[in-house]
Amino acid sequence: MPDTKKFFENLSGAGKCVAVLTSGGDAQGMNGAVRAVVRMGIYVGAKVYLIHEGYQGMVDGGDNIKEATWESVSSMLQVGGTFIGSARCAEFRTHDGRLRAAQNLVKRGITNLCVIGGDGSLTGANLFREEWSGLLEELVQSGKIDEAAAQAHSVLHIVGMVGSIDNDFCGTDMTIGTDSALHRIIEVVDAIMTTAQSHQRTFVLEVMGRHCGYLALVSALACGADWVFIPELPPEDGWEDLMCQKLSENRLRGSRLNIIIVAEGAIDRHGSPISSDSIKDNRADKKRLNIIIVAEGAIDSSNKAISTDYVKDLVVRCLGFDTRVTILGHVQRGGTPSAFDRILASRMGVEAVLALLEASPGTPACVVSLCGNQAVRLPLMECVQMTQEVQKAMDEKKFEEAVRLRGRSFENNLNTYKLLSHRKSDSELPHNGVENSKQGPCRSPFTVAVLNVGAPAAGMNAAVRSAVRVGITEGHKMLAVNDGFEGFSKGQIKEIKWGDVGGWTGQGGSLLGTKRTLPLKKLDKIAEQIRIHNINALLVIGGFEAFECVLQLCDARSKYEEFCLPMCMLPATISNNVPGTDLSIGADTSLNAIVETCDRIKQSASGTKRRVFIIETMGGYCGYLASVGGLAAGADAAYIYEEPFDIRDLQANVEHLTAKMKTSIQRGLVLRNENSNDNYTTDFIYQLYSEEGKGVFDCRKNVLGHMQQGGAPSPFDRNFGTKIAAKAMQWISKRLREFYREGVGRVFANTEDSACLLGMRRRALLFQPVIQLKDETDFEHRIPKEQWWLKLRPLMKILAKYKTSYDVSDSGQLEHVVRLRAKDTDNSTI
C-alpha cells in the first residue's frame, strides 16, 4: 500500500508572523497553549509575537506586542491563569478600535492570529478577519500605511482555541481549563465530606457555569451528588418535594453522604431563583451528610433562578437538616493546570500553528477542537452559532433541545447521572421480557457478578458503584467478588446492594480487593461457583491481566458450559497498556501524580545552580506514562521501550541539555519508563548525565514507584469509570435478554461478540470482541502492537527544541459541526 503519511516538515513558516493572545476569563492551561504556539511557531521558522492584555493590548500596541523567544515561555506550563494577561476591551468592539488594532498588526507584519478565549473573544476575532480588507483600505486612505504594506498583508488568518472553565463552547468535548476547574471542585467536595460526616450536615455547593451546567453536572457524577441544578434542564414543578423525599430516603437507608450541586444562576421552570440557603432547616432523620451542588446558572422549568440560599432554606424548613452553603467562586479558576489541560493545551497549540501554516486566502476562521481523543478543526462561526442556539433554546424553554445542542458528551453525562441518581422501587424495575412460569412477570432472573483483576487503579471503585447501581436499576441481582479470580475460586462472593456502594466514587484503590491471579488453573472451581451462585454474566474491571482472564474464559467455553455467558471487560490500569482502547481508568490519576511530583522536583532547584532531574515512571513495557507525563511536565526527553535508543541517543540528549543550560533556562527533566531498556537503567542514565554534565549541570534522580497508583481518583477517572461501567451494564442487560433460552430457563452465550472489551477508540466508545483483539496484542511485552499516543512523542521533542518528524496525517481537514441525533448518543464520547 502507498504511504499516506503527511509530515509537517513540508510546511514552512519562514517569512510569516504569528501572534497569540488570550482574551476573556482566564483558564488553567492557557499558558500551555501559548507556550505551544510560540515554540511551534519558532520551530517552523516563523516570527512569533505575544500580545499582552488581550484585545486591549492589540488596540494599544506599543510594548503590549512583543516578539517571543524560546526562553520567554519557559517554566510556564505549570502556571495557572495567563502570563500574557487578559482584559475586557470595549474599544475593540468599536470600528475605530479595530482600525487601530489592524494598524498595529500590519506595522509588525502579523497576518496570522491565534486567539485563546471563549465564544465572545472568538466571535470578535472573526469579525476582525471579515473587516480586514476594509480596514486596510481605510489605513491606506488615511496615510497610516502604504499600498505595498496593504497588499503584502491583504489576508488575515484566524485560528481559535477555546479557553473556558465552563466548557460552554459547542463543537468540542472539552475546553482548556475545564478539567482543572473540576479538580478544584472535587478537592473541595472531598474535603467537605469529612466535616459533613462528622456533624451530620447537608452541604449545598454553588459552582460556576452561569449559562452552562457542565461543571455542575460532571462534578455531580464525580462525587455521587444526590441532586444537581443546571441551566440547560431546570427541574419540573414540584421538585422541592421530590428532592426532600430523596434526601430523607437516603438518610433512612443509612447513607452518610448527600450532595446537592447548584449552578450559580440556577432558576426553576417559572423563572424563580433556586439558591443554596433555601434548602436548609428541618432535620428529621439520621442521615449524617447531604451535599447539594448547584451550577451558578441553574434555572427551573419556568426560567426562575435557583440559588444556593433558596435550596438551603428549603432543606432546613422541610427536613430540619443542619445545612451549610459553600460557594466556590473564583477558586475554580485558580491553581496549577491538571495533566489533562496541559496535554490538551499543548496539542491544541501545535495544531493551531499547523492550521495557520496550511491556511489559504479562502480558508474560513477555524477553531481547534477535541472530539473523543482526536484533535479536529471546525469552522469557528459554525461552533459559535450552535453555542448561541443553546442559549436561544433555553430562553424559549426548549430545554431538551438545549441539552441536545450541547453535544453528545454533555448529553451522555446527563443521561448517566439520571440513571444513577434515582433508586427505583421494585414496581418500577423492568421485567427484561422474561417470565417466570409460576409467578408470571418477575423482577429479573439474571445475576451479574462484578470483580476487579490486576493491580489497583484509581477509578475502579467508581466503576463498580456505577455497575452495581445500573444493574439494580435494570432489575438484576448484583454480586461482588472479592480478590479477583482467586477470590472467585474460593467463593468470596456476596450480594451487593444500592447502599453498599455509597461514597465509592472518591475512594482510591480497589474496595473489592484485586489480585493478578489468572483463572486458567482454577477453572473447575470458578465454574462451580458460577453454578452455585447461578451467575449469568460477568463484568471484569482491570488491566492486561483482566484481558487475559476473559480470553482464558472464552477459550474454556468448549469444555465448561458455565463460561458460556456474556462477559464485558472495562480497562482499568495506570499503565494504559490494554489493547482495544486509547484510555484506561486510572491512567489520568497516575499522570497527575507524576506531573505534580515533577513540578515539585523542578521547583526544588529554584535558585540553585543548573540541574537535571532523572525520573523513573511505572508502566511495565508501556511508555504511556513516561511519554504523556513528559509532555505534560515539559520534559526534555522520555526513554521508552517502544522507541529503542542507544548510547548515541543518550549522548545527543546530554549535548542538547548542555546547550540548553547555557541559556537562561537552568533546569532539565528526563523521564525513563521502568522497562525501557535492560542495560540503560535509571542508575546508568543518572551516572552518564552526571559525568558528561560536569562543569555545566549536576543531576538528581527519583524513582516515583507506587505513589503513582495511590491517592483519590481524578475527576476524569471518576467520570470515565462511571460512564463506561453504566454503558457496559446496559450492554450486558441487552445480551442477557438475547441469549436467554426460555426452553431450558438459562442464558447460553457462545459467540465471539458475547465477550467484549469496552474501550475508547478515537472518537467513540466501542464494544470489541476480546478474541478479535488478540491479533492486535504483543503478549510477551503486554502492550498493544499499535499505540496512538506514540504520535504525541514528537510534540514533546518539538517543544523541547529537538528536530524531529511529526506525522500530521490526521490533521489538516476542516470538518463541520455535526448536530447530534438521538441514536448518536449510543457511541458517545466521554
Side-chain angles (χ1 to χ4, degrees):
M1 293 180 63
D3 188 0
T4 59
K5 288 185 178 180
K6 181 176 68 173
F7 296 93
F8 84 95
E9 290 89 325
N10 300 323
L11 302 170
S12 174
K16 295 185 178 182
C17 293
V18 177
V20 57
L21 64 86
T22 54
S23 178
D26 64 300
Q28 304 99 317
M30 279 184 165
N31 288 329
V34 172
R35 170 182 178 267
V37 170
V38 168
R39 292 195 166 178
M40 186 63 173
I42 293 173
Y43 186 88
V44 298
K47 186 178 288 188
V48 184
Y49 288 89
L50 297 174
I51 301 178
H52 294 260
E53 310 307 333
Y55 285 119
Q56 189 66 57
M58 192 160 65
V59 171
D60 294 341
D63 290 340
N64 289 304
I65 306 177
K66 297 179 180 178
E67 185 175 354
T69 65
W70 194 274
E71 292 78 17
S72 63
V73 292
S74 178
S75 301
M76 287 296 139
L77 190 57
Q78 69 271 24
V79 178
T82 166
F83 80 100
I84 58 175
S86 180
R88 309 290 180 187
C89 182
E91 288 182 84
F92 190 73
R93 296 176 186 158
T94 68
H95 183 79
D96 287 343
R98 294 190 290 275
L99 193 65
R100 290 168 56 194
Q103 181 183 355
N104 287 326
L105 294 190
V106 171
K107 181 179 178 182
R108 293 163 179 81
I110 298 169
T111 55
N112 297 279
L113 188 61
C114 181
V115 178
I116 307 167
D119 62 330
S121 302
L122 299 180
T123 302
N126 188 69
L127 175 62
F128 190 43
R129 172 185 166 275
E130 290 176 345
E131 292 182 345
W132 183 256
S133 59
L135 294 172
L136 295 193
E137 286 180 16
E138 287 187 49
L139 291 171
V140 171
Q141 290 171 4
S142 62
K144 293 180 179 177
I145 64 172
D146 57 31
E147 188 66 41
Q151 289 181 0
H153 307 95
S154 59
V155 179
L156 177 67
H157 298 295
I158 298 286
V159 172
M161 286 181 276
V162 190
S164 167
I165 68 167
D166 293 337
N167 201 31
D168 57 354
F169 193 81
C170 294
T172 185
D173 289 343
M174 287 286 276
T175 58
I176 296 169
T178 302
D179 186 71
S180 299
L182 287 170
H183 273 257
R184 302 294 92 77
I185 294 170
I186 295 305
E187 286 165 6
V188 171
V189 172
D190 287 350
I192 279 175
M193 286 180 181
T194 56
T195 184
Q197 287 173 327
S198 300
H199 295 279
Q200 304 185 51
R201 286 176 179 151
T202 295
F203 268 84
V204 184
L205 274 72
E206 179 182 293
V207 302
M208 284 185 166
R210 186 171 299 279
H211 302 293
C212 179
Y214 186 88
L215 288 179
L217 180 58
V218 175
S219 55
L221 264 179
C223 69
D226 295 87
W227 204 273
V228 63
F229 297 96
I230 60 174
E232 291 85 353
L233 197 64
E236 298 286 349
D237 290 346
W239 64 267
E240 294 92 340
D241 292 338
L242 288 174
M243 188 187 73
C244 290
Q245 179 184 349
K246 182 180 179 184
L247 297 181
S248 182
E249 287 175 352
N250 285 344
R251 292 222 177 176
L252 289 171
R253 279 198 292 266
S255 173
R256 298 173 63 91
L257 173 63
N258 289 90
I259 303 171
I260 301 175
I261 302 183
V262 187
E264 62 179 338
I267 60 175
D268 65 17
R269 293 194 175 233
H270 300 284
S272 300
I274 297 178
S275 71
S276 52
D277 280 346
S278 56
I279 312 184
K280 181 177 171 187
D281 272 331
N282 285 322
R283 176 163 225 128
D285 56 36
K286 300 292 184 182
K287 184 168 181 191
R288 299 181 64 87
L289 171 61
N290 298 82
I291 300 181
I292 304 167
I293 302 184
V294 187
E296 65 176 346
I299 57 175
D300 72 3
S301 58
S302 301
N303 211 38
K304 182 171 64 175
I306 302 173
S307 71
T308 48
D309 289 342
Y310 177 72
V311 176
K312 171 187 151 189
D313 291 341
L314 175 65
V315 173
V316 171
R317 184 176 68 253
C318 297
L319 299 176
F321 295 171
D322 182 8
T323 306
R324 297 288 187 273
V325 172
T326 297
I327 299 175
L328 271 64
H330 282 75
V331 70
Q332 295 158 87
R333 290 192 187 278
T336 186
S338 66
F340 183 98
D341 273 329
R342 299 184 196 196
I343 297 162
L344 177 64
S346 298
R347 292 177 68 183
M348 297 300 99
V350 168
E351 185 71 21
V353 173
L354 293 176
L356 288 171
L357 292 179
E358 294 176 346
S360 64
T363 304
C366 75
V367 61
V368 180
S369 301
L370 182 73
C371 183
N373 193 34
Q374 191 174 10
V376 297
R377 302 176 196 172
L378 299 171
L380 191 155
M381 291 315 295
E382 286 187 18
C383 298
V384 169
Q385 183 180 358
M386 186 172 286
T387 303
Q388 293 171 345
E389 286 181 17
V390 175
Q391 189 59 51
K392 181 181 177 183
M394 290 163 58
D395 293 340
E396 295 175 354
K397 299 182 182 179
K398 298 178 181 177
F399 299 114
E400 291 184 1
E401 175 76 359
V403 169
R404 185 182 64 82
L405 288 169
R406 278 286 181 221
R408 57 182 186 169
S409 177
F410 187 94
E411 188 165 13
N412 193 30
N413 279 309
L414 182 58
N415 290 337
T416 306
Y417 178 78
K418 288 179 179 178
L419 195 63
L420 294 170
S421 63
H422 174 61
R423 190 197 188 289
K424 294 180 180 178
S425 63
D426 288 344
S427 62
E428 294 178 293
L429 293 172
H431 295 150
N432 288 304
V434 180
E435 295 202 3
N436 181 301
S437 58
K438 295 181 180 179
Q439 301 174 355
C442 61
R443 220 182 112 207
S444 168
F446 302 133
T447 301
V448 181
V450 182
L451 66 159
N452 295 334
V453 176
M460 275 183 164
N461 297 322
V464 172
R465 169 187 175 271
S466 177
V468 167
R469 291 195 169 180
V470 173
I472 292 171
T473 298
E474 294 280 333
H476 310 317
K477 179 181 180 181
M478 299 299 297
L479 299 180
V481 181
N482 295 111
D483 297 334
F485 280 103
E486 184 173 314
F488 206 135
S489 66
K490 296 176 182 178
Q492 295 173 204
I493 305 168
K494 63 179 180 180
E495 184 173 2
I496 187 166
K497 298 185 177 180
W498 187 278
D500 296 335
V501 292
W504 279 32
T505 55
Q507 299 293 314
S510 168
L511 292 173
L512 290 184
T514 180
K515 299 281 187 181
R516 297 180 184 271
T517 306
L518 301 181
L520 191 60
K521 295 181 180 179
K522 302 176 184 292
L523 292 174
D524 287 337
K525 294 181 179 179
I526 294 170
E528 180 184 5
Q529 292 300 324
I530 289 176
R531 290 195 303 272
I532 291 172
H533 294 279
N534 191 29
I535 295 170
N536 308 115
L538 290 179
L539 179 65
V540 183
I541 304 169
F544 200 89
E545 292 91 352
F547 174 63
E548 292 180 300
C549 288
V550 176
L551 279 174
Q552 289 181 3
L553 294 182
C554 286
D555 290 341
R557 280 175 165 178
S558 59
K559 185 176 180 181
Y560 299 90
E561 280 198 359
E562 289 83 358
F563 301 136
C564 294
L565 43 73
M567 291 180 273
C568 186
M569 182 210 152
L570 301 182
T573 166
I574 69 167
S575 301
N576 199 32
N577 64 329
V578 178
T581 186
D582 291 349
L583 300 171
S584 301
I585 299 167
D588 184 74
T589 303
S590 186
L591 279 176
N592 278 285
I594 291 169
V595 169
E596 288 168 12
T597 304
C598 288
D599 286 350
R600 292 173 183 169
I601 288 173
K602 287 197 295 184
Q603 190 178 44
S604 71
S606 179
T608 67
K609 60 183 179 180
R610 293 175 171 85
R611 182 164 290 169
V612 174
F613 297 94
I614 316 292
I615 297 177
E616 181 181 295
T617 65
M618 296 177 76
Y621 285 97
C622 181
Y624 176 81
L625 291 179
S627 297
V628 182
L631 178 60
D636 295 278
Y639 301 118
I640 62 171
Y641 164 77
E642 294 91 339
E643 194 172 284
F645 58 97
D646 57 25
I647 194 67
R648 290 179 293 274
D649 297 310
L650 293 172
Q651 183 62 34
N653 293 150
V654 172
E655 292 172 357
H656 184 86
L657 278 167
T658 301
K660 174 183 174 180
M661 293 298 177
K662 293 177 181 178
T663 69
S664 59
I665 305 174
Q666 299 186 0
R667 286 170 290 180
L669 180 66
V670 175
L671 272 59
R672 178 189 175 274
N673 167 248
E674 58 184 350
N675 288 345
S676 57
N677 190 289
D678 290 338
N679 296 312
Y680 299 134
T681 63
T682 302
D683 283 338
F684 177 89
I685 293 174
Y686 164 70
Q687 291 168 5
L688 174 68
Y689 272 66
S690 297
E691 180 64 28
E692 296 297 318
K694 275 184 178 178
V696 181
F697 59 82
D698 63 0
C699 286
R700 297 289 186 274
K701 68 175 179 178
N702 192 299
V703 178
L704 299 184
H706 283 76
M707 65 166 289
Q708 296 163 79
Q709 285 185 323
S714 68
F716 183 96
D717 280 330
R718 300 184 196 198
N719 185 284
F720 188 44
T722 295
K723 285 201 282 190
I724 66 170
K727 194 174 183 67
M729 283 307 304
Q730 291 174 318
W731 178 87
I732 285 174
S733 296
K734 182 180 179 182
R735 291 302 192 189
L736 285 169
R737 292 191 293 270
E738 287 178 1
F739 292 115
Y740 181 77
R741 295 186 173 183
E742 291 189 22
V744 294
R746 58 162 291 190
V747 173
F748 185 85
N750 196 25
T751 59
E752 281 190 1
D753 64 356
S754 64
C756 285
L757 179 147
L758 174 55
M760 182 179 176
R761 303 296 289 263
R762 292 169 68 88
R763 303 192 187 188
L765 293 171
L766 300 175
F767 290 95
Q768 303 146 96
V770 292
I771 292 174
Q772 294 179 13
L773 293 175
K774 289 174 69 174
D775 292 338
E776 300 180 20
T777 308
D778 175 354
F779 284 94
E780 180 184 355
H781 298 102
R782 299 162 59 85
I783 55 175
K785 291 178 180 177
E786 292 187 8
Q787 303 187 84
W788 70 272
W789 52 264
L790 287 170
K791 289 187 176 182
L792 298 183
R793 283 184 59 81
L795 294 189
M796 182 193 69
K797 295 177 182 179
I798 288 168
L799 298 177
K801 216 174 183 178
Y802 285 92
K803 290 293 182 183
T804 187
S805 292
Y806 178 38
D807 180 7
V808 294
S809 303
D810 291 337
S811 303
Q813 298 298 319
L814 188 65
E815 303 183 14
H816 292 280
V817 177
V818 178
R819 293 178 181 273
L820 184 68
R821 297 166 297 182
K823 65 180 181 180
D824 292 334
T825 58
D826 292 343
N827 292 324
S828 53
T829 57
I830 55 174

